[in-house]
Amino acid sequence: MKTSISKNIIADIICLLYILLFVYAAISKLLDFENFRIQLGQSPLLSAFAGYIAWMVPILELFIVLLIVSKRWKIMGLFGALCLMVMFTAYIFIILNYSPFVPCSCGGILQKMGWGEHLIFNCVFIMLAAAGILILRRGVPKAHFISKPAALASAFSMTIFFSIGIVTLLFMLSEDIIHHRNNFVRRFYPGLASPIFEKKLDVNSYYLAGFDNGEIYLGNITAPLTVTILDTLLRKQERYMISLSDTLLNFRSIKVAVRPPYFYVFDGSVPCLFSGRTSNWQAQLWPNKKAFFTNFEPIDSATVAFRGIDSNSKENVLGTVSAHPGSNLRLSDKLLQKQIDGVFDTDGMLLYNAQKQELIYSYYYRNQYVVADKDLNLKYRGKTIDTNTIAKIKVAFHSKEKQSQLAGPPLIVNKDAATDGKYLYINAGLMGKFERSSMWQKASVIDVYDIDKGTYISSFYIYNKGDKKVRQFRINSSRLVAFFGEDIVVYKIHY
């Protein structure tokens, strides 16, 4: 008799512990619901379903408490508690063993625990739930299925396999959605980019003209024929003057691009194009090719890609031009897709990936980028994780100037882009789901895409320098170089 009373007391204590745990956990999540949802949004397992799970978990915890409080449904409540704790444990196990980073998505006092401690804590409560069920089943009528040992063992097995299966399925579905069918949920990897060197330059008119072989090449808008070279330690600095073979052209806006061992000087509004070797910085004018362009990217010593205006359609097109005498200008009107006017709506950034020998064009105002080979043959059209498929711009025609212009501020989706190896890096313009607006005021977000697979991989922050955000960045190997006003910072990328 005393033994039976003692066991009932133990069962009551177990039920009370679960009531306290779940009520406290659920209320903590609901009181700080937005933070809990944001933390789930950064989970490598549940980010795609964070909006649903953020509500489901506290509701399930409170529902299980109601079952445990009820005398009739107490055993069912403990089975529910067992199921939920096995799910939590499976989640932690996957996080610790299969996740590239360990997020934080616990509430209340549990947030102060390490993930290893949390795993032990969950295992203890799993054993308590099992013990409570074993004790309470003794008071169940013999006609009830749970009173039979075989049925009880089956119930335990099904609960455990079901719980682990649900978490595993969510993990697999979330991975597929995040990488292939993203609904604008970013996955941030903490510490992916860490600053290692920084330097304040004398003026803020510098721009990144090239970055390769451990050397950073800077052009200067106010001194257009000057090139400054820095090493990635930002200690060594050299300055060179470019000598042009023809200085009588009516230059308007000279820019320099460097792809060692060659450099290029261009002014697409003239048009003119010079190139030479970085060993002597003497530039020769290319044979006259009537190519007016607004975007330019070197491919090799004798070929460059550009974006220009088609003389017939008056819309943006991509093309290539060669220095070889007698070579023809090559244009493709199939790569850029018109949505509104064919000019502003197709505005973007032209990149060349030397390792892949691919041209990449990332639109400013829509969630799309184009990958083509260096002969302008389309490989595929990729999508960024933003959901803006149509450029949100207003275009007006200025009758006096006889030209179109933007009638209002456009919605910028992709601010800047860089490519290296199999990756495309985009400085994102819009905040995704489950992100803190305060972080967007403190940092810029860089989204990373796999251009081999056309999939989203992850995101990371580049924090502001004072009140200045990243205005330009480039990546080479495991180094990222970024400009903040007159400050230049070198980061190490941790893959």
Side-chain angles (χ1 to χ4, degrees):
M1 185 72 176
K2 289 182 179 179
T3 303
S4 178
I5 294 173
S6 299
K7 287 182 178 179
N8 288 334
I9 292 173
I10 293 172
D12 289 341
I13 292 173
I14 291 172
C15 291
L16 180 61
L17 288 173
Y18 262 108
I19 291 169
L20 293 173
L21 175 66
F22 282 174
V23 168
Y24 176 78
I27 291 176
S28 296
K29 293 179 179 75
L30 293 173
L31 289 177
D32 196 11
F33 179 75
E34 192 59 32
N35 184 51
F36 175 60
R37 187 168 63 171
I38 288 172
Q39 289 175 336
L40 279 179
Q42 301 312 315
S43 165
L45 272 70
L46 308 174
S47 48
F49 308 104
Y52 303 106
I53 294 174
W55 284 108
M56 287 176 60
V57 170
I59 290 172
L60 277 175
E61 288 173 336
L62 293 176
F63 178 69
I64 289 170
V65 166
L66 292 176
L67 292 178
I68 293 174
V69 169
S70 168
K71 186 175 181 180
R72 180 179 178 182
W73 302 104
K74 196 180 293 288
I75 290 182
M76 292 300 296
L78 284 179
F79 265 111
L82 175 65
C83 182
L84 206 55
M85 293 307 293
V86 172
M87 286 184 182
F88 292 159
T89 305
Y91 172 79
I92 295 172
F93 179 81
I94 296 174
I95 285 289
L96 292 177
N97 291 277
Y98 300 101
S99 172
F101 69 98
V102 178
C104 176
S105 59
C106 304
I109 193 170
L110 301 183
Q111 198 168 21
K112 301 183 184 300
M113 290 186 184
W115 285 90
E117 295 168 333
H118 201 170
L119 186 65
I120 295 171
F121 178 89
N122 284 4
C123 289
V124 170
F125 267 81
I126 287 173
M127 290 187 288
L128 288 176
I133 292 168
L134 290 173
I135 293 171
L136 291 175
R137 69 175 282 272
R138 297 178 181 276
V140 173
K142 290 185 178 181
H144 200 283
F145 84 98
I146 204 71
S147 64
K148 300 174 183 178
L152 183 63
S154 297
F156 274 124
S157 299
M158 289 178 62
T159 300
I160 292 170
F161 285 120
F162 173 78
S163 304
I164 295 174
I166 285 291
V167 175
T168 304
L169 180 63
L170 286 175
F171 170 58
M172 294 171 65
L173 290 175
S174 183
E175 285 294 290
D176 178 65
I177 291 171
I178 289 295
H179 294 304
H180 299 95
R181 294 176 284 112
N182 196 293
N183 55 355
F184 208 6
V185 177
R186 288 191 173 92
R187 179 172 294 174
F188 288 93
Y189 286 3
L192 190 60
S194 55
I196 49 178
F197 304 108
E198 60 181 89
K199 181 182 180 71
K200 184 175 286 294
L201 301 172
D202 49 353
V203 292
N204 64 359
S205 56
Y206 287 107
Y207 62 89
L208 283 165
F211 179 28
D212 198 10
N213 298 326
E215 292 188 316
I216 305 164
Y217 298 87
L218 307 181
N220 193 329
I221 295 173
T222 57
L225 295 179
T226 301
V227 175
T228 302
I229 304 177
L230 300 172
D231 65 353
T232 50
L233 300 178
L234 302 182
R235 295 174 185 171
K236 179 184 175 184
Q237 180 172 321
E238 299 174 348
R239 189 163 291 169
Y240 296 93
M241 286 294 297
I242 295 173
S243 174
L244 299 181
S245 62
D246 188 340
T247 58
L248 299 178
L249 294 169
N250 186 24
F251 297 119
R252 296 183 186 178
S253 179
I254 293 177
K255 287 285 185 70
V256 176
V258 183
R259 192 179 297 280
Y262 304 100
F263 73 94
Y264 309 80
V265 180
F266 57 97
D267 186 340
S269 61
V270 173
C272 65
L273 181 58
F274 297 81
S275 68
R277 286 183 172 271
T278 56
S279 56
N280 57 24
W281 296 101
Q282 295 180 4
Q284 300 297 317
L285 180 64
W286 282 24
N288 188 24
K289 313 283 188 193
K290 293 296 183 181
F292 292 86
F293 50 87
T294 53
N295 214 319
F296 170 93
E297 189 71 12
I299 293 178
D300 54 41
S301 62
T303 310
V304 300
F306 65 90
R307 186 195 68 199
I309 299 292
D310 185 273
S311 58
N312 296 318
S313 67
K314 306 301 181 185
E315 298 173 1
N316 280 331
V317 293
L318 296 184
T320 59
V321 61
S322 172
H324 298 300
S327 61
N328 294 323
L329 196 69
R330 180 181 295 177
L331 296 176
S332 172
D333 58 359
K334 305 297 183 184
L335 293 177
L336 302 184
Q337 292 183 317
K338 175 182 176 180
Q339 290 184 336
I340 300 170
D341 68 327
V343 178
F344 292 108
D345 63 340
T346 56
D347 198 5
M349 300 151 283
L350 178 61
L351 307 171
Y352 179 67
N353 188 304
Q355 297 96 332
K356 298 292 180 182
Q357 297 188 353
E358 293 175 341
L359 289 167
I360 302 170
Y361 190 85
S362 174
Y363 292 103
Y364 283 132
Y365 310 125
R366 64 176 102 161
N367 66 341
Q368 192 181 80
Y369 59 92
V370 182
V371 180
D373 64 23
K374 60 183 182 179
D375 294 321
L376 302 177
N377 298 309
L378 177 68
K379 287 198 168 183
Y380 70 90
R381 301 183 188 277
K383 285 190 175 181
T384 61
I385 60 172
D386 185 270
T387 54
N388 285 274
T389 57
I390 304 297
K392 291 181 173 58
I393 59 172
K394 292 183 179 179
V395 180
F397 183 76
H398 198 291
S399 57
K400 189 174 183 179
E401 299 291 335
K402 294 184 178 180
Q403 63 180 12
S404 297
Q405 60 185 24
L406 288 174
L411 183 69
I412 300 176
V413 175
N414 305 313
K415 293 181 180 178
D416 194 11
T419 183
D420 183 65
K422 68 175 186 176
Y423 301 110
L424 171 65
Y425 302 83
I426 292 181
N427 183 359
L430 298 177
M431 186 170 67
K433 294 180 181 178
F434 318 124
E435 295 175 25
R436 293 182 175 88
S437 58
S438 59
M439 283 302 300
W440 277 77
Q441 297 171 4
K442 299 175 184 176
S444 298
V445 172
I446 307 297
D447 295 329
V448 186
Y449 299 87
D450 185 324
I451 54 176
D452 283 345
K453 301 176 181 177
T455 58
Y456 167 74
I457 300 176
S458 62
S459 302
F460 60 90
Y461 290 115
I462 296 183
Y463 289 89
N464 301 347
K465 290 287 294 178
D467 60 347
K468 296 182 177 68
K469 285 185 171 290
V470 173
R471 64 178 173 88
Q472 190 185 13
F473 78 103
R474 291 292 178 267
I475 296 178
N476 182 250
S477 187
S478 62
R479 294 291 185 269
L480 182 152
V481 177
F483 267 128
F484 303 80
E486 63 269 21
D487 292 306
I488 184 170
V489 183
V490 176
Y491 297 80
K492 180 174 176 58
I493 304 294
H494 304 275
Y495 291 104

